[in-house]
Amino acid sequence: MSLLSALVPLLRVYYIGFLVILHQLRRRLHLRCPSASVFPRQDGKVAIVTGGAKGIGYQTVKHLARLGMHVIIAGNSESEGQEAVRKIQEETLTQKAGVMLVPERKTEDGFEEHFGLNYLGHFLLTNLLLDVLKQSGTHSHKARIVTVSSATHYVGKLHLNDLQSRCSYSPHGAYAQSKLALVLFTYQLQHLLTANGSHVTANVVDPGVVNTDLYKHVCWVVKVVKWMTAWLLFKTPEEGASTTIYAAVSPEMEGAGGCYLYNEERTKSVDIAYDEELQRRLWTESCKMVGITHGSIRVP
């Protein structure tokens, strides 16, 4: 692997992160004390939050539970999930689980870890739950699928012939690719749901740059800068969860699908994410990788 092929994805990821941090700082200075959104009660509804034991996922779980939802925490550690439930019960629940910038390694199923955990796991879980979701949604109250990507998808490159990054591994490139895959997946999923007349919507959100423990694999310089500036430049996990919660329960999002949301507003994703042929090819390849025929809804 050449130095240049490793350096380019790194610079792209940190460049887009820098732009997001500047935007967050301007917004924080402009809004001063932004008011928290108020959502209606969600009694009788069920939510599944992956990665709900920590960080943004935990804040999402806590807020949804306060709204009266029955929330199921899905994650890799049962003990962490139980501890999260205990903490929430003492204080009073969306797809978020993931990894960032890990060294080259594979999941138990043999997938490159970024692509396997950040994308394929959510792709498979969604397909396994789709029949239930389609039965749960109604014309007036559609079931909702919310997937969490990030601004790094803007600099991601999807390598359909090398989705597992075997040829030239870059943790930054692999991470950005997994986040781009989530956006492509969400748009294709919404297209298929609409074509099948399902009462289910799918949206993807960008939480911003958030102060969580996902930064354990960044270089020591970045860790020092984060330690010194996160209080001012980074969002808190609660602030990072706000757009996910908005997509999950806001009346304004009833019936709306195929949206990319940032700061509780619809915005434009990277141009390549709207490529319908690329969406279909990724969906087909993903089905092959996880061992399902065509998913719970067939690609036209």
Side-chain angles (χ1 to χ4, degrees):
M1 180 179 183
S2 68
L3 177 62
L4 182 61
S5 62
L7 191 59
V8 169
L10 181 150
L11 293 176
R12 284 174 173 165
V13 167
Y14 285 119
Y15 170 70
I16 198 68
F18 176 72
L19 293 181
V20 173
I21 286 174
L22 282 182
H23 181 270
Q24 290 180 181
L25 179 60
R26 288 197 299 267
R27 189 168 186 267
R28 178 165 291 173
L29 294 175
H30 176 69
L31 294 179
R32 298 292 180 177
C33 297
S35 57
S37 299
V38 178
F39 301 114
R41 294 283 300 176
Q42 303 293 312
D43 299 293
K45 296 184 179 180
V46 178
I48 298 176
V49 180
T50 62
K54 294 181 178 179
I56 301 174
Y58 175 79
Q59 295 298 330
T60 302
V61 169
K62 185 165 67 173
H63 199 115
L64 294 181
R66 286 174 176 171
L67 292 175
M69 269 191 170
H70 175 76
V71 186
I72 300 169
I73 297 176
N76 298 321
S77 172
E78 182 178 353
S79 61
E80 289 180 353
Q82 291 175 341
E83 176 63 15
V85 171
R86 185 190 66 78
K87 287 166 59 179
I88 291 172
Q89 288 175 337
E90 285 183 353
E91 294 181 27
T92 341
L93 187 189
T94 326
Q95 303 200 59
K96 312 185 70 61
V99 293
M100 184 173 75
L101 308 184
V102 298
E104 187 173 9
R105 61 194 189 195
K106 299 183 184 300
T107 66
E108 292 182 4
D109 297 309
F111 300 115
E112 186 277 315
E113 192 162 358
H114 289 101
F115 200 75
L117 291 182
N118 290 355
Y119 169 67
L120 282 179
H122 295 107
F123 175 85
L124 179 58
L125 177 63
T126 300
N127 274 281
L128 293 175
L129 293 173
L130 266 181
D131 286 340
V132 174
L133 288 168
K134 288 187 286 187
Q135 293 171 13
S136 302
T138 65
H139 179 73
S140 57
H141 292 92
K142 292 179 170 58
R144 302 186 188 187
I145 299 169
V146 183
T147 300
V148 179
S149 180
S150 85
T152 55
H153 92 275
Y154 286 105
V155 295
K157 304 291 183 182
L158 193 77
H159 303 286
L160 277 172
N161 296 324
D162 187 28
L163 291 173
Q164 306 233 48
S165 305
R166 292 191 179 100
C167 294
S168 57
Y169 183 78
S170 159
H172 299 82
Y175 176 71
Q177 175 179 246
S178 70
K179 293 301 182 179
L180 174 58
L182 287 168
V183 182
L184 287 158
F185 153 70
T186 301
Y187 292 165
Q188 176 65 5
L189 175 59
Q190 183 58 56
H191 172 73
L192 297 174
L193 289 167
T194 301
N196 281 264
S198 303
H199 297 309
V200 184
T201 60
N203 293 294
V204 58
V205 308
D206 174 2
V209 178
V210 186
N211 189 9
T212 69
D213 60 2
L214 279 178
Y215 297 86
K216 63 179 69 174
H217 295 290
V218 299
C219 67
W220 69 269
V221 175
V222 176
K223 288 181 179 179
V224 171
V225 172
K226 175 179 177 290
W227 177 75
M228 295 175 61
T229 64
W231 64 274
L232 175 65
L233 302 179
F234 287 36
K235 289 184 178 182
T236 65
E238 186 173 7
E239 290 172 331
S242 64
T243 303
T244 304
I245 297 165
Y246 172 82
V249 301
S250 172
E252 296 175 8
M253 292 302 297
E254 180 58 50
C259 302
Y260 185 85
L261 302 168
Y262 176 59
N263 286 334
E264 301 184 15
E265 295 180 352
R266 305 180 200 191
T267 188
K268 189 175 182 294
S269 61
V270 68
D271 289 341
I272 193 67
Y274 299 102
D275 185 329
E276 295 183 1
E277 176 61 22
L278 187 60
Q279 295 168 13
R280 285 192 291 268
R281 292 176 65 190
L282 175 63
W283 184 282
T284 300
E285 190 62 29
S286 301
C287 288
K288 294 177 182 176
M289 294 177 78
V290 300
I292 57 179
T293 305
H294 51 69
S296 296
I297 40 182
R298 187 181 298 276
V299 180

